[in-house]
Every structure is written in structure tokens, then in C-alpha cells.
Amino acid sequence: AQSVTQLDSQVPVFEEAPVELRCNYSSSVSVYLFWYVQYPNQGLQLLLKYLSGSTLVKGINGFEAEFNKSQTSFHLRKPSVHISDTAEYFCAVSRTGRRALTFGSGTRLQVQP
Amino acid sequence: EAGVAQSPRYKIIEKRQSVAFWCNPISGHATLYWYQQILGQGPKLLIQFQNNGVVDDSQLPKDRFSAERLKGVDSTLKIQPAKLEDSAVYLCASSSDEQFFGPGTRLTVL
């Protein structure tokens, strides 16, 4: 079985500052890794995913994440945030070859002017 | 391309009542999922369909929850009878490769 830990439930940050949202996972088998964003009263939207290859993954809206196998981490970063980035962010994993996702508990990013 | 559609968007019921949710996946997507998202938590898989067959329902509380996907397209999720702890957002997703999520149905059980 897999599990995902998002270490921060809330991250306040000022506009134009850099941000890192942390994600660690546990699995006995190979996994795929994902970050999703959820705006209020909306469904989940895929930001980026790691399936294989380069450990640095670039996604939409200027976000990127780095897969670190030795530390079982997949932290999400953005060099300069905007007010519009205020949302809930979820890290998720799936077993390779299967698509059902196991999610972390989420991190609420609050961008302040 | 139309996204995943869900209805109703909101539902309020009394405990012990029954409720049903409907999902229309993206056209051509063979795989359909139902997730439960309790406030303050990440979504948790309830059931996964491949066409009209069940792939994984290990986390579905089968004494009260049921789901079907007749003809391998639309799906319904039913709760009978509802409990207070069933208050959550129920998300439907479909995939051919990447998962696409619907807006969810917010259920409040009083």
C-alpha cells in the first residue's frame, strides 16, 4: 500500500515570494507522482506529474517539482507566487500500471498582498 | 471537449435517508472513479470501474454504499441509509491516461 504525507497544512506567503510545498510518500513498489490544485468549489486540476525520466518536472502556471527517490519526496516549488495561486494543493501517488490515486491531506497556500 | 459532469452539486438530507449521485465521464474514457473527500482531508478512492466492471471497491462501505456503471458510460453512487459521517464532497473522475475530475457533489447529512 502507498501513503502520502504533506507536512504543512497551511503555508502563508507574500505575493512574488518563492514557495515550496512539501510531500513525502511511502510505497513498497514503484509509483507515479502527481500534484493537483483545487480552487474553491471546483474539482481537482492536474499541475504536473512524474512518471519516469528527468527528476525535475515542470507543470502549468510556473510550478515545478523534483522527485527525490532516496528521500521519497516530491516537493512542489514556484519561484514567485501570485494572488491567484491561493488554493488547496494535493500530492498524490499511484502504483505504476494502475491509475487510482492515493492523496495526501492537502496544503492550503495563502498568498497575501 | 466537455469535462466530467456531476449532479446534483449540493444535497442536504437527514440521517437514515437515501441519496444518489450521478456522473457523466468524458466521452471515450473507459475508467471511472468515485472518491470521497471529507473536509480537511484528501480525496479517498471509493470505487474504480473499467468500462462496466469493478476494478477496485476495497474501500467502499458496502453495507450502505453501492455504485453501478451500466453500459460502461454514466455512473451512479448511492448511499442508503446515510450517516452523519457521510457528509463530504463526492468526486467523480474519468481517465484514458490522465485523470480528469468533476466539480463534485457536496453532501450534508443532518
Side-chain angles (χ1 to χ4, degrees), chain B residues 78-97:
Chain B
K78 297 179 182 178
I79 308 175
Q80 180 179 8
K83 292 185 175 181
L84 296 177
E85 59 261 36
D86 297 332
S87 293
V89 175
Y90 291 85
L91 295 166
C92 179
S94 69
S95 73
S96 59
D97 181 16

Side-chain angles (χ1 to χ4, degrees), chain A residues 43-81:
Chain A
L44 294 156
Q45 180 183 4
L46 181 66
L47 274 179
L48 48 78
K49 60 186 175 185
Y50 173 78
L51 304 181
S52 64
S54 173
T55 57
L56 183 63
V57 180
K58 294 190 182 297
I60 62 172
N61 301 340
F63 284 93
E64 64 180 30
E66 186 155 20
F67 169 56
N68 188 318
K69 188 174 183 179
S70 62
Q71 297 187 10
T72 60
S73 68
F74 191 55
H75 300 333
L76 181 71
R77 293 190 285 260
K78 187 170 182 178
S80 175
V81 295

Side-chain angles (χ1 to χ4, degrees), chain A residues 36 38 41-46 49 51 88 90 98-106, chain B residues 9 33 35 37 40-43 45 48 56 91 95-99 101-103 106:
Chain A
Y36 283 83
Q38 187 175 37
N41 298 316
Q42 294 187 28
L44 294 156
Q45 180 183 4
L46 181 66
K49 60 186 175 185
L51 304 181
E88 189 89 19
F90 292 95
R98 298 191 62 180
R99 297 197 177 98
L101 297 165
T102 299
F103 286 88
S105 56
Chain B
R9 291 294 311 276
Y33 315 79
Y35 291 86
Q37 185 178 15
Q41 299 180 21
L45 180 72
Q48 176 183 351
D56 183 356
L91 295 166
S95 73
S96 59
D97 181 16
E98 174 186 334
Q99 279 194 42
F101 285 80
R106 183 178 299 275

Side-chain angles (χ1 to χ4, degrees), chain A residues 2-75:
Chain A
Q2 303 85 246
S3 66
V4 179
T5 301
Q6 292 185 244
L7 298 164
D8 305 298
S9 60
Q10 293 189 65
V11 173
V13 63
F14 288 107
E15 193 173 18
E16 298 183 6
V19 70
E20 179 180 80
L21 306 183
R22 296 179 294 170
C23 172
N24 287 88
Y25 70 93
S26 173
S27 177
S28 58
V29 299
S30 296
V31 295
Y32 296 148
L33 295 154
F34 305 82
W35 275 98
Y36 283 83
V37 61
Q38 187 175 37
Y39 299 102
N41 298 316
Q42 294 187 28
L44 294 156
Q45 180 183 4
L46 181 66
L47 274 179
L48 48 78
K49 60 186 175 185
Y50 173 78
L51 304 181
S52 64
S54 173
T55 57
L56 183 63
V57 180
K58 294 190 182 297
I60 62 172
N61 301 340
F63 284 93
E64 64 180 30
E66 186 155 20
F67 169 56
N68 188 318
K69 188 174 183 179
S70 62
Q71 297 187 10
T72 60
S73 68
F74 191 55
H75 300 333

